[in-house]
């Protein structure tokens, strides 16, 4: 059976490894079909493609776009995109704009609770100055011993209602799906089980996404708990979505589920890659 991983991050967004090193990590874990899906950025795709091909993997160009829907942040993965498409690139550039300013605001909020120098501290972990992420702040706070782990930082400081949280308005669902489709790609709702929507709101999201031309949802992802795999497989069937699978890898040793141990898609769903090869 093909081993497919369609969700990974490099240091072009909030991962720690260069794109070629992520490719190597995936290959070592036995991956045959692999996508790099950095947040709001396609700068790593060319390096990732070259490395993947040299390692004998089928490469899928990807991106993970941050959107705001019903006042919540949602992530839309684009797969099989033309990463040079002007409209997509302009949309991603607009989405990235404002991240640096948000970073300065996060640092100002953290300073109010006694954590000084967080902007400069987070910047040490940033691989792409255009892409400062909350994850970089989390790495800094762990380094400083403020928290024991990255999830711990999110729980105590970087989530809504916590002292370092700064609300941000991202792209719209319509824009993100539109950019992906204009670039010839397939739109996928990333880790749908991670959002705080009730069943009704989630249903509205799925319906709107479908109407806009969205095709798939992630079912098996490192960002789901194992009990969510069958739950989202059933929802994919019910809504007529294809199913995607990806680790959401960011760094060695940081994952909720080890790279090599993520299970395959449950039976009864159609994989998003069913007609790619
Ligand atoms: P940003 O796009 O800057 O708001 O950062 C979002 C990123 O933070 C996500 O892509 C995850 O990598 C990370 N993240 C969000 N929530 C958590 C969490 N609870 N635990 C660990 N990482 C998280
Ligand atoms: Mn991330
Ligand atoms: Mn995500
Ligand atoms: Mn991700």
């Amino acid at each position: 059976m093909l081993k497919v991983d369609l969700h990974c991050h490099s240091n072009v967004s909030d991962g720690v490894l260069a794109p070629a090193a992520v490719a190597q990590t995936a290959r070592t874990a036995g991956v045959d079909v692999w996508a790099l899906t950095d947040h709001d950025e396609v700068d790593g795709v060319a390096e990732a493609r070259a490395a993947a091909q040299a390692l004998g993997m089928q490469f899928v160009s990807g991106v993970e776009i941050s959107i705001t829907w019903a006042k919540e942040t949602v992530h839309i993965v684009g797969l099989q995109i033309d990463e040079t498409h002007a409209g997509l690139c302009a949309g991603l550039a607009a989405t990235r704009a404002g991240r640096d300013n948000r970073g300065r605001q996060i640092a100002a909020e953290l300073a109010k609770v006694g954590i000084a120098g967080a902007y400069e501290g987070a910047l040490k972990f940033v691989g792409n100055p255009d892409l400062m992420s909350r994850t970089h702040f989390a790495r800094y706070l762990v380094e400083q011993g403020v928290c024991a782990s990255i999830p711990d930082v999110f729980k105590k400081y970087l989530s809504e209602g916590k002292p370092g949280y700064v609300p941000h308005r991202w792209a719209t669902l319509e824009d993100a799906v539109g950019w992906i489709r204009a670039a010839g790609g397939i739109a996928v709702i990333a880790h749908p089980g991670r959002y705080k929507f009730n069943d009704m709101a989630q249903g509205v999201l799925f319906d709107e996404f479908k109407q806009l031309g969205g095709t798939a949802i992630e079912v098996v992802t490192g960002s789901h708990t194992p009990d969510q795999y069958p739950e989202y497989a059933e929802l994919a069937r019910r809504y007529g979505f294809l199913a995607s699978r990806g680790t959401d890898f960011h760094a060695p040793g940081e994952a909720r589920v080890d790279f090599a141990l993520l299970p395959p898609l449950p039976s009864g769903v159609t994989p998003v890659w069913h007609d790619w090869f």
Side-chain angles (χ1 to χ4, degrees), residues 14 39 75 99 102 133-135 150-151 154 170 194 250:
D14 61 346
H39 297 285
H75 288 167
R99 272 188 177 270
R102 180 184 71 145
S133 159
R134 284 184 293 163
T135 309
I150 289 181
F154 276 90
W170 300 105
R194 223 173 72 182
H250 284 75

Side-chain angles (χ1 to χ4, degrees), residues 7-9 14 37 39 64 75 77 190-191 194 223 248 250:
H7 191 145
C8 282
H9 297 276
D14 61 346
T37 56
H39 297 285
E64 181 178 19
H75 288 167
V77 164
H191 41 65
R194 223 173 72 182
S223 289
D248 209 350
H250 284 75

Side-chain angles (χ1 to χ4, degrees), residues 200-224:
M200 194 198 280
Q202 179 175 262
V204 175
L205 172 65
F206 286 4
D207 284 337
E208 277 187 27
F209 177 68
K210 188 146 204 204
Q211 270 165 25
L212 291 166
T215 337
I217 62 171
E218 288 184 343
V219 169
V220 173
T221 148
S223 289
H224 277 171

Side-chain angles (χ1 to χ4, degrees), residues 103-147:
R104 291 176 197 276
Q105 287 178 266
I106 290 172
E109 293 302 313
L110 291 173
K112 287 183 196 164
V113 293
I115 300 164
Y119 179 83
E120 294 72 18
L123 208 51
K124 286 190 300 180
F125 293 93
V126 169
N128 170 4
D130 236 19
L131 213 295
M132 187 173 226
S133 159
R134 284 184 293 163
T135 309
H136 300 119
F137 284 91
R139 294 215 171 94
Y140 174 64
L141 265 60
V142 171
E143 181 206 58
Q144 292 298 299
V146 176
C147 291

Side-chain angles (χ1 to χ4, degrees), residues 67-74 160 165 167-169 196-197:
I67 69 158
T68 302
W69 188 85
K71 298 188 177 144
E72 293 285 334
T73 298
V74 169
E160 197 172 345
Y165 182 75
H168 193 75
R169 177 63 84 85
K196 283 177 285 179
F197 301 127

Side-chain angles (χ1 to χ4, degrees), residues 72-107:
E72 293 285 334
T73 298
V74 169
H75 288 167
I76 304 294
V77 164
L79 300 173
Q80 301 283 33
I81 48 166
D82 168 7
E83 77 278 6
T84 66
H85 185 271
L88 171 69
C89 292
L92 296 179
T95 307
R96 290 192 300 273
R99 272 188 177 270
D100 183 71
N101 186 48
R102 180 184 71 145
R104 291 176 197 276
Q105 287 178 266
I106 290 172

